[in-house]
């Protein structure tokens, strides 16, 4: 029989053990090995049975065991020490408090998914893992971040395989009472509510759960509320599921409801209102519309006009784009968005429909007028935006150049902050112990850890540790292979081989990630016979550990998984290659340390960043990757291997053939020989030289603490300064909005009428100076509204300027009709081709970039 209701009864801990509840309730335990060890010591078998979840462990303990623990003085001493350590972590002054400047008192960070720990399965892949690492690093640095997301009743999905190797999805129900969450409550003890008007009925009601991520609260909205109708309760049913309308409702709840949840949090806890809003991808973009509603029509608001409110909202918003392909962007039918915002029951009542629709309109060359683009809205509602690697920033500026068509790609206002990973989460505890014994703290909140300490550790110690970690991975892989084979229907006698699969002394290559087509899971199968030779080489064999999920609706991705599984099922090679289903954080944590090489072979340039290789590097692994994402900027020839890319080819099959051959060649001729080349002590000296170099050079770069510091310095602090300048009595915002309206209206009258140069002859030499004069008509604008610049650089054969520099021109004369002469002297400081042009762009203190308005005037 089925239960009509379920709930979890939590234990009543003895007073002397109350700190166990505190430790279990703060997710810092997920990256703090001593706390994990304490919970494991309570009951090692139960700890494994509940998948290392402290909340479920405590719920499973018998009263007699609690009494035993309460009477155990040694345990009580450890518990008190760890409780004091957590308190010190939460209350001590950390990096952010020691910074100077105009910093935000609070930053709201919105993401549709968060990968913090396997026991809180609210993530599908890299976007969520990045968000989780962002919160953890912000906590370590003491940055006042508040996370905002949704609580999905089913999470993403659990993956298994059928006998034929086809992916199977299941959606276990998550009980919030069994998760490390608390409920946000009103002063009277009732649950805090977020209400969202919707056009098809009564308000959508959501409750707010709080996950405490170290010092950072994460607010998760849940619509599985009894007062909601079933289709409303299903809004937060699963991550990335449902049709377009279902996704739109989720994104409205995340953006609009998320702002409401933040207001409730500040009201109930006294936490400062966020001064900067950071949206991780476009899913939360509607937060900007809600903030405009608060400033324009909300009864308690200042009742500003739309454009003034837009200035205030934009100035304090940061938008991070993660996708390098248009197919990865959420685009809703324009009519569907109009249905939700156009009448009674709008989630942002009285905000003009036409203004909302304009925010997401693809009203540029090549755009689709029938869709509402969430990324486009993200850019229009955020004054500052970034990609997640240098190459991805370049790709994004090209993708979205249509929003700023008058500017070259280099000046499109999308910067780059390369992702990082949270070392305490992803580095093996044994490695943490090894370096901490030499005074290095990878949990440092101040300066980057001294990774050069690796040179103080002997080759034998490093090599033996890597062997230990490889053996742990082999044992874990065997366990998972056996469990998977059993679930696929293989009898015990048919799966005895799983206990001999893989070898802790064989070169181990890891490949694990989501399985969209562009990540090319099966590139390594391009020549199966050659791959078999590599796997079975009698002197220098390799072994592959592979994992990955395909979206349930992606039939192509599922076929790729099936192809890989069928190859791995071959009795000839199955001891050398393992596909492990249900890739998640719990699997990843032993996988990265246990691999010697991390493989990544996407179609360049479709990998926005790809942080899995960073995690491998921090664990002494070497990368073998296409030059894409972060590897494109940080590969130096000694920290791994770059797979040559054939991304200029139009023939996809030919490209795959070439790149697969290059992959095989590198493994056969460079990777495997170096791994198996041993000295008299049985240690691969040249291999370990690469490992040491990787840790010294990549270690400080790939840290999430470096990433989050970059966000503070490059985006959060400037956004806060802009917001503070505009948001006092709103006079600054009104002036900026009025100025923009006036400049846009007057820009058709701005013309560069004539340009001339003086001072050089037909054969100029290095050291000469050229005087450039521009005669500019400003129409209805004034000289203070603009800056006139010379753009100069080398010239290609078709007269395109490359490698350009800018020089401002000074106004020297004015004439009738609001015409002016601007001059500048340019030094000719290098030989070769030289060219220039003149342009006029708007200037104002509120602009973060000259391209912000998309306006420029150049000679006709």
């Amino acid at each position: 029989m089925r239960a009509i209701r379920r709930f979890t009864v939590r234990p009543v801990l003895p007073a002397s053990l109350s700190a166990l509840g505190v430790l279990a309730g703060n997710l810092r335990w997920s990256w703090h090995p001593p706390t994990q060890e304490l919970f494991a010591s309570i009951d090692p078998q139960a700890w494994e049975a509940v998948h290392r979840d402290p909340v479920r462990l405590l719920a499973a303990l018998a009263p007699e065991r609690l009494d035993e623990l309460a009477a155990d003085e040694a345990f009580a001493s450890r518990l008190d020490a760890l409780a004091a350590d957590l308190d010190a972590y939460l209350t001590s002054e950390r990096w952010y408090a020691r910074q100077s400047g105009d910093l935000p008192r609070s930053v709201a960070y919105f993401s549709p998914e968060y990968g913090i720990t396997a026991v809180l399965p609210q993530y599908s892949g890299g976007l969520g893992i990045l968000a989780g690492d962002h919160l953890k690093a912000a906590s370590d640095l003491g940055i006042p971040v508040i996370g905002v997301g949704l609580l999905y009743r089913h999470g993403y999905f659990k993956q298994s395989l059928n006998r034929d190797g086809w992916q199977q999805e299941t959606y276990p129900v998550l009980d919030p009472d069994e998760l490390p969450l608390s409920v946000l409550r009103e002063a009277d003890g009732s649950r805090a509510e977020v209400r969202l008007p919707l056009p098809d009925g009564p308000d959508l009601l959501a409750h707010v759960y709080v996950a405490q991520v170290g010092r950072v609260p994460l607010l998760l909205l849940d619509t599985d509320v009894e007062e909601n109708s079933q289709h409303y309760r299903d809004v937060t049913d699963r991550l990335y599921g449902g049709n377009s309308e279902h996704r739109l409702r989720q994104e409205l709840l995340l953006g609009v409801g998320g702002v409401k949840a933040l207001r409730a949090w500040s009201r109930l806890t006294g936490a400062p209102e966020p001064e900067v809003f950071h949206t991780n991808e476009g899913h939360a973009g509607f937060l900007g519309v809600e903030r405009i509603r608060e400033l324009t029509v909300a009864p308690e608001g200042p009742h500003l006009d739309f454009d003034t409110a837009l200035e205030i909202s934009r100035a304090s918003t940061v938008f991070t784009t993660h996708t390098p392909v248009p197919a990865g962007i959420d685009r809703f039918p324009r009519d569907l968005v109009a249905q939700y915002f156009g009448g009674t029951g709008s989630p942002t009542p009285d905000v003009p429909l036409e203004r909302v629709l304009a925010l997401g309109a693809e009203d540029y060359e090549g755009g689709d007028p029938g869709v509402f683009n969430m990324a486009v809205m993200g850019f229009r509602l955020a004054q500052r935006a970034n990609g997640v690697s240098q190459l991805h920033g370049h790709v994004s500026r090209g993708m979205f150049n249509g929003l700023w068509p008058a500017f070259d790609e280099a000046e499109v206002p999308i910067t780059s902050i390369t992702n990082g990973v949270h070392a305490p989460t992803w580095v093996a505890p044994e490695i943490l112990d090894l370096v901490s014994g030499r005074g290095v703290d990878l949990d440092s909140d101040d300066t980057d850890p001294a990774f050069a300490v690796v040179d103080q550790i002997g080759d034998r110690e490093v090599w033996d540790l890597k062997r230990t970690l490889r053996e742990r991975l082999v044992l874990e892989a065997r366990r998972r292979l056996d469990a998977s084979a059993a679930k696929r229907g293989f009898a015990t006698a048919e799966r005895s081989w799983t206990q001999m699969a893989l070898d802790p002394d064989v070169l181990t290559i890891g490949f694990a990630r989501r399985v969209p087509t562009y990540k090319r899971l099966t590139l390594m199968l391009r020549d199966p016979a050659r791959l078999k030779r590599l796997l079975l080489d009698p002197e220098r064999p390799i072994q592959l550990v592979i994992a990955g999920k395909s979206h349930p609706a992606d039939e192509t991705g599922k076929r790729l998984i099936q192809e890989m599984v069928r190859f791995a099922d071959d009795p000839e090679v199955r001891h050398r290659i393992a596909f492990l289903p249900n890739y998640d954080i719990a699997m990843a944590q032993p996988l990265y340390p246990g691999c010697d090489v991390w493989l990544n072979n996407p179609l360049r340039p479709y990998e926005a960043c790809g942080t899995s290789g960073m995690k491998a590097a921090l664990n002494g692994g070497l990368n073998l990757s296409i030059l894409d994402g972060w590897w494109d900027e940080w590969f130096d020839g000694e920290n791994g291997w770059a797979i040559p890319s054939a991304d200029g080819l139009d023939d996809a099959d030919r490209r795959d053939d070439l790149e697969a051959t290059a992959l095989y060649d590198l493994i056969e001729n460079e990777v495997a020989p170096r791994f198996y080349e041993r000295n008299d002590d049985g240690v691969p000296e040249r291999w370990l030289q690469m490992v040491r170099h990787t840790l010294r050079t990549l270690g400080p770069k790939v840290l999430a603490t470096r990433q989050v510091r970059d966000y503070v310095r490059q985006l959060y602090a400037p956004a806060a300064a802009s917001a503070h300048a505009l948001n006092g009595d709103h006079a600054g915002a009104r002036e900026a909005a009025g100025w923009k309206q006036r400049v846009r209206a007057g820009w058709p009258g701005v013309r560069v009428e004539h340009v001339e140069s003086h001072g050089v002859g037909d054969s100029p030499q290095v050291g000469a100076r050229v005087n450039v004069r521009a005669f500019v008509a400003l129409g209805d604008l004034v000289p203070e509204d603009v800056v006139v610049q010379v753009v100069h650089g080398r010239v290609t054969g078709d007269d395109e300027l490359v490698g350009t520099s800018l020089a401002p021109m000074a106004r020297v004369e004015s004439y009738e009709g609001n015409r002016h002469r601007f001059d500048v002297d340019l030094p000719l400081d290098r030989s070769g081709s030289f060219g220039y042009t003149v342009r006029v762009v708007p200037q104002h203190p509120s602009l973060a970039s000259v391209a912000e308005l998309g306006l420029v005037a150049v000679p006709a």
Side-chain angles (χ1 to χ4, degrees), residues 419-422 614 617-618 630 634 698-704 706:
N419 286 342
V421 298
H422 186 245
M614 296 178 175
L618 285 176
W630 73 275
W634 287 338
L698 282 182
K701 295 177 181 177
V702 302
L703 296 178
R706 184 275 312 153

Side-chain angles (χ1 to χ4, degrees), residues 212-280:
Q212 196 63 41
V213 187
R215 301 164 71 113
V216 172
L218 169 58
L219 312 182
L220 299 171
L221 285 83
D222 174 33
T223 64
D224 190 14
V225 175
E226 289 185 7
E227 293 88 335
N228 282 333
S229 60
Q230 188 59 49
H231 71 287
Y232 274 13
R233 297 181 73 161
D234 288 343
V235 167
T236 54
D237 58 352
R238 60 184 62 169
L239 179 60
Y240 302 144
N243 58 20
S244 288
E245 185 169 12
H246 185 76
R247 289 286 294 275
L248 177 62
R249 286 175 173 171
Q250 287 187 334
E251 297 187 10
L252 287 168
L253 179 64
L254 176 60
V256 179
V259 174
K260 293 175 182 285
L262 283 168
R263 304 310 183 207
W265 172 258
S266 293
R267 174 175 58 82
L268 293 171
T269 66
E273 295 277 1
E275 294 182 313
V276 171
F277 291 74
H278 182 181
T279 175
N280 188 39

